[in-house]
Amino acid sequence: MREAYHVELDQLAEELAHMCSMSATAMELATRALLDTDLGLAEQVIGDDAKIDDARSSCEEHAYALLALQAPVATDLRTVLAAIHAAESLERMGDLALHVAKAARRRHPNPVLPEQIRPYFAQMGRVAVELARNAQQVILHKDVEKARSLEEADDEMDDLHRQLFSVIMDKEWPHGVASAVDVTLLGRFYERYADHAVSVAKRVVFVVTGRMPGYTGDEDV
Protein backbone atom coordinates (compact mmCIF):
# COMPACT_ATOMS: atom_id res chain seq x y z
CA MET A 1 0.00 0.00 0.00
CA ARG A 2 2.77 2.46 0.92
CA GLU A 3 4.61 1.68 -2.31
CA ALA A 4 1.50 2.49 -4.32
CA TYR A 5 1.12 5.70 -2.32
CA HIS A 6 4.66 6.78 -3.16
CA VAL A 7 3.94 6.12 -6.82
CA GLU A 8 1.03 8.55 -6.46
CA LEU A 9 3.35 11.12 -4.87
CA ASP A 10 5.77 10.74 -7.79
CA GLN A 11 2.90 11.29 -10.22
CA LEU A 12 1.91 14.42 -8.32
CA ALA A 13 5.47 15.73 -8.66
CA GLU A 14 5.34 15.06 -12.39
CA GLU A 15 2.10 17.03 -12.66
CA LEU A 16 3.72 19.97 -10.89
CA ALA A 17 6.80 19.74 -13.11
CA HIS A 18 4.53 19.83 -16.15
CA MET A 19 2.88 22.97 -14.77
CA CYS A 20 6.36 24.48 -14.43
CA SER A 21 7.05 23.69 -18.06
CA MET A 22 3.74 25.22 -19.15
CA SER A 23 4.40 28.40 -17.17
CA ALA A 24 7.93 28.66 -18.58
CA THR A 25 6.65 28.29 -22.13
CA ALA A 26 3.94 30.88 -21.48
CA MET A 27 6.48 33.46 -20.31
CA GLU A 28 8.88 32.62 -23.13
CA LEU A 29 6.17 33.19 -25.74
CA ALA A 30 4.77 36.26 -23.95
CA THR A 31 8.22 37.84 -23.91
CA ARG A 32 8.66 37.18 -27.62
CA ALA A 33 5.23 38.69 -28.25
CA LEU A 34 6.25 41.74 -26.25
CA LEU A 35 9.63 42.21 -27.93
CA ASP A 36 8.48 41.40 -31.47
CA THR A 37 5.00 42.98 -31.33
CA ASP A 38 3.65 39.56 -32.31
CA LEU A 39 -0.12 39.44 -31.91
CA GLY A 40 -0.32 35.74 -32.80
CA LEU A 41 2.01 34.72 -29.96
CA ALA A 42 0.16 36.97 -27.53
CA GLU A 43 -3.13 35.35 -28.48
CA GLN A 44 -1.59 31.91 -28.06
CA VAL A 45 -0.50 32.67 -24.50
CA ILE A 46 -3.90 34.13 -23.67
CA GLY A 47 -5.73 31.13 -25.11
CA ASP A 48 -3.51 28.59 -23.36
CA ASP A 49 -3.85 30.12 -19.89
CA ALA A 50 -6.94 28.02 -19.19
CA LYS A 51 -4.79 24.90 -19.54
CA ILE A 52 -2.57 26.06 -16.67
CA ASP A 53 -5.65 26.79 -14.57
CA ASP A 54 -6.98 23.31 -15.30
CA ALA A 55 -3.62 21.78 -14.39
CA ARG A 56 -3.70 23.51 -11.01
CA SER A 57 -7.19 22.16 -10.35
CA SER A 58 -6.04 18.67 -11.28
CA CYS A 59 -2.98 18.88 -9.01
CA GLU A 60 -5.03 20.10 -6.08
CA GLU A 61 -7.68 17.41 -6.55
CA HIS A 62 -4.93 14.78 -6.65
CA ALA A 63 -3.30 16.20 -3.50
CA TYR A 64 -6.55 16.37 -1.54
CA ALA A 65 -7.39 12.82 -2.56
CA LEU A 66 -4.03 11.66 -1.21
CA LEU A 67 -4.69 13.46 2.08
CA ALA A 68 -8.10 11.84 2.38
CA LEU A 69 -7.01 8.33 1.44
CA GLN A 70 -3.83 7.94 3.47
CA ALA A 71 -3.70 10.63 6.19
CA PRO A 72 0.05 11.02 5.54
CA VAL A 73 2.55 12.10 8.19
CA ALA A 74 6.11 13.46 8.22
CA THR A 75 7.74 13.74 4.78
CA ASP A 76 4.69 12.46 2.91
CA LEU A 77 2.49 15.09 4.53
CA ARG A 78 5.01 17.82 3.73
CA THR A 79 5.08 16.63 0.12
CA VAL A 80 1.32 16.87 -0.31
CA LEU A 81 1.01 20.24 1.43
CA ALA A 82 3.96 21.65 -0.54
CA ALA A 83 2.34 20.47 -3.77
CA ILE A 84 -0.84 22.40 -2.99
CA HIS A 85 1.11 25.60 -2.33
CA ALA A 86 3.37 25.07 -5.36
CA ALA A 87 0.39 24.58 -7.67
CA GLU A 88 -0.94 27.96 -6.58
CA SER A 89 2.40 29.67 -7.28
CA LEU A 90 2.69 27.98 -10.67
CA GLU A 91 -0.77 29.11 -11.67
CA ARG A 92 0.16 32.66 -10.69
CA MET A 93 3.27 32.41 -12.85
CA GLY A 94 0.99 31.53 -15.74
CA ASP A 95 -1.23 34.51 -14.87
CA LEU A 96 1.78 36.85 -14.91
CA ALA A 97 2.78 35.60 -18.36
CA LEU A 98 -0.84 36.19 -19.36
CA HIS A 99 -0.59 39.81 -18.18
CA VAL A 100 2.50 40.31 -20.33
CA ALA A 101 0.73 38.85 -23.36
CA LYS A 102 -2.33 41.04 -22.77
CA ALA A 103 -0.13 44.12 -22.64
CA ALA A 104 1.38 43.18 -26.00
CA ARG A 105 -2.10 42.65 -27.46
CA ARG A 106 -3.52 45.85 -25.97
CA ARG A 107 -0.93 48.09 -27.68
CA HIS A 108 -0.79 46.19 -30.98
CA PRO A 109 0.15 47.12 -33.68
CA ASN A 110 2.29 49.59 -31.73
CA PRO A 111 5.16 48.27 -29.63
CA VAL A 112 4.74 48.44 -25.85
CA LEU A 113 8.44 48.97 -25.15
CA PRO A 114 10.57 51.95 -26.13
CA GLU A 115 13.73 50.86 -27.91
CA GLN A 116 16.02 51.75 -24.99
CA ILE A 117 14.01 49.47 -22.66
CA ARG A 118 13.92 46.37 -24.83
CA PRO A 119 17.29 44.92 -23.67
CA TYR A 120 16.09 44.95 -20.06
CA PHE A 121 13.03 42.90 -20.91
CA ALA A 122 14.99 40.52 -23.11
CA GLN A 123 17.18 39.79 -20.08
CA MET A 124 14.29 39.63 -17.65
CA GLY A 125 12.49 37.20 -19.92
CA ARG A 126 15.57 35.01 -20.14
CA VAL A 127 16.01 34.95 -16.37
CA ALA A 128 12.31 34.25 -15.76
CA VAL A 129 12.21 31.28 -18.12
CA GLU A 130 15.48 29.93 -16.73
CA LEU A 131 14.07 30.11 -13.19
CA ALA A 132 10.95 28.21 -14.20
CA ARG A 133 12.91 25.53 -16.06
CA ASN A 134 15.24 25.09 -13.07
CA ALA A 135 12.28 24.89 -10.71
CA GLN A 136 10.95 22.08 -12.90
CA GLN A 137 14.16 20.14 -12.37
CA VAL A 138 14.09 20.85 -8.64
CA ILE A 139 10.61 19.34 -8.42
CA LEU A 140 11.49 16.25 -10.43
CA HIS A 141 14.76 15.48 -8.65
CA LYS A 142 14.22 17.08 -5.21
CA ASP A 143 17.52 18.86 -5.80
CA VAL A 144 18.10 21.05 -2.75
CA GLU A 145 21.32 22.61 -4.05
CA LYS A 146 19.70 23.65 -7.33
CA ALA A 147 16.76 24.99 -5.36
CA ARG A 148 19.07 27.21 -3.36
CA SER A 149 20.84 28.36 -6.52
CA LEU A 150 17.57 29.82 -7.80
CA GLU A 151 17.96 32.67 -5.34
CA GLU A 152 21.04 33.85 -7.26
CA ALA A 153 19.03 34.09 -10.47
CA ASP A 154 16.29 35.87 -8.55
CA ASP A 155 18.91 38.40 -7.37
CA GLU A 156 19.75 39.01 -11.04
CA MET A 157 16.07 39.68 -11.73
CA ASP A 158 15.90 42.09 -8.79
CA ASP A 159 18.97 43.93 -10.10
CA LEU A 160 17.42 44.25 -13.56
CA HIS A 161 14.20 45.50 -12.04
CA ARG A 162 16.05 48.18 -10.04
CA GLN A 163 17.97 49.29 -13.13
CA LEU A 164 14.74 49.47 -15.11
CA PHE A 165 13.08 51.58 -12.44
CA SER A 166 16.00 54.01 -12.37
CA VAL A 167 15.66 54.51 -16.13
CA ILE A 168 11.92 55.19 -15.86
CA MET A 169 12.40 57.66 -13.01
CA ASP A 170 15.10 59.62 -14.83
CA LYS A 171 13.90 63.18 -15.36
CA GLU A 172 15.07 62.88 -18.97
CA TRP A 173 12.61 60.02 -19.68
CA PRO A 174 11.27 61.02 -23.10
CA HIS A 175 8.43 58.55 -23.64
CA GLY A 176 5.60 60.00 -21.58
CA VAL A 177 3.54 58.87 -18.60
CA ALA A 178 1.55 56.12 -20.35
CA SER A 179 4.72 54.38 -21.48
CA ALA A 180 6.24 54.70 -18.00
CA VAL A 181 3.15 53.07 -16.50
CA ASP A 182 3.27 50.21 -19.02
CA VAL A 183 6.96 49.57 -18.35
CA THR A 184 6.53 49.77 -14.57
CA LEU A 185 3.71 47.21 -14.59
CA LEU A 186 5.55 44.88 -16.94
CA GLY A 187 8.68 45.02 -14.80
CA ARG A 188 6.58 44.10 -11.77
CA PHE A 189 5.11 41.11 -13.60
CA TYR A 190 8.57 39.69 -14.29
CA GLU A 191 9.78 40.36 -10.75
CA ARG A 192 6.76 38.58 -9.24
CA TYR A 193 7.13 35.67 -11.68
CA ALA A 194 10.69 35.15 -10.43
CA ASP A 195 9.55 35.34 -6.80
CA HIS A 196 6.97 32.63 -7.38
CA ALA A 197 9.52 30.35 -9.05
CA VAL A 198 11.80 30.72 -6.03
CA SER A 199 8.85 30.03 -3.74
CA VAL A 200 8.21 26.75 -5.56
CA ALA A 201 11.85 25.73 -5.12
CA LYS A 202 11.71 26.60 -1.43
CA ARG A 203 8.73 24.29 -1.02
CA VAL A 204 10.90 21.45 -2.28
CA VAL A 205 13.59 22.32 0.26
CA PHE A 206 10.88 22.17 2.92
CA VAL A 207 9.84 18.71 1.74
CA VAL A 208 13.39 17.35 1.83
CA THR A 209 14.70 19.04 4.99
CA GLY A 210 11.58 19.78 7.01
CA ARG A 211 12.65 23.44 7.22
CA MET A 212 11.35 26.35 5.18
CA PRO A 213 14.16 28.62 3.93
CA GLY A 214 13.85 32.39 4.37
CA TYR A 215 10.53 33.03 2.68
CA THR A 216 9.38 35.88 0.43
CA GLY A 217 5.62 36.19 0.62
CA ASP A 218 3.61 35.55 -2.53
CA GLU A 219 0.20 36.77 -1.47
CA ASP A 220 -0.42 38.98 -4.46
CA VAL A 221 0.03 38.63 -8.20
Side-chain angles (χ1 to χ4, degrees), residues 12-46:
L12 182 59
E14 289 174 3
E15 291 175 37
L16 288 170
H18 182 57
M19 276 193 76
C20 250
S21 178
M22 294 169 72
S23 296
T25 298
M27 185 54 91
E28 184 175 21
L29 296 180
T31 301
R32 285 170 51 194
L34 188 68
L35 294 172
D36 299 340
T37 319
D38 190 321
L39 181 61
L41 285 180
E43 294 286 8
Q44 182 178 339
V45 174
I46 293 165

Side-chain angles (χ1 to χ4, degrees), residues 17-218:
H18 182 57
M19 276 193 76
C20 250
S21 178
M22 294 169 72
S23 296
T25 298
M27 185 54 91
E28 184 175 21
L29 296 180
T31 301
R32 285 170 51 194
L34 188 68
L35 294 172
D36 299 340
T37 319
D38 190 321
L39 181 61
L41 285 180
E43 294 286 8
Q44 182 178 339
V45 174
I46 293 165
D48 285 347
D49 183 64
K51 297 177 182 177
I52 299 177
D53 296 342
D54 291 344
R56 176 191 175 177
S57 296
S58 178
C59 283
E60 288 184 339
E61 288 173 10
H62 194 174
Y64 289 130
L66 290 173
L67 286 174
L69 290 172
Q70 292 289 335
V73 296
T75 301
D76 291 350
L77 178 60
R78 293 200 302 269
T79 299
V80 177
L81 294 177
I84 293 169
H85 287 290
E88 179 182 7
S89 285
L90 290 166
E91 184 196 12
R92 288 183 178 180
M93 289 164 67
D95 288 341
L96 290 159
L98 173 68
H99 295 335
V100 173
K102 284 185 173 180
R105 182 177 69 176
R106 184 171 59 251
R107 297 299 186 194
H108 191 271
N110 298 315
V112 181
L113 303 176
E115 190 64 32
Q116 76 181 102
I117 293 297
R118 286 169 51 85
Y120 291 98
F121 281 93
Q123 280 289 91
M124 292 170 83
R126 178 191 61 77
V127 173
V129 173
E130 180 180 290
L131 278 163
R133 299 292 186 198
N134 284 338
Q136 179 183 6
Q137 294 305 308
V138 168
I139 292 169
L140 287 173
H141 304 295
K142 294 185 173 62
D143 189 332
V144 171
E145 290 308 311
K146 183 178 282 290
R148 289 170 174 156
S149 75
L150 263 67
E151 294 197 44
E152 295 179 10
D154 187 42
D155 288 343
E156 183 180 356
M157 180 69 83
D158 290 340
D159 287 343
L160 286 164
H161 188 250
R162 282 190 291 269
Q163 293 171 35
L164 180 66
F165 194 71
S166 69
V167 172
I168 299 167
M169 294 303 294
D170 192 311
K171 64 181 180 180
E172 301 299 327
W173 172 259
H175 306 292
V177 173
S179 179
V181 170
D182 280 344
V183 171
T184 299
L185 286 173
L186 285 163
R188 177 64 171 163
F189 297 153
Y190 283 89
E191 182 196 31
R192 293 301 298 144
Y193 185 99
D195 288 343
H196 283 298
V198 172
S199 175
V200 170
K202 287 180 176 180
R203 297 288 176 187
V204 176
V205 176
F206 170 67
V207 168
V208 175
T209 68
R211 296 185 300 275
M212 192 68 177
Y215 180 68
T216 300
D218 57 359

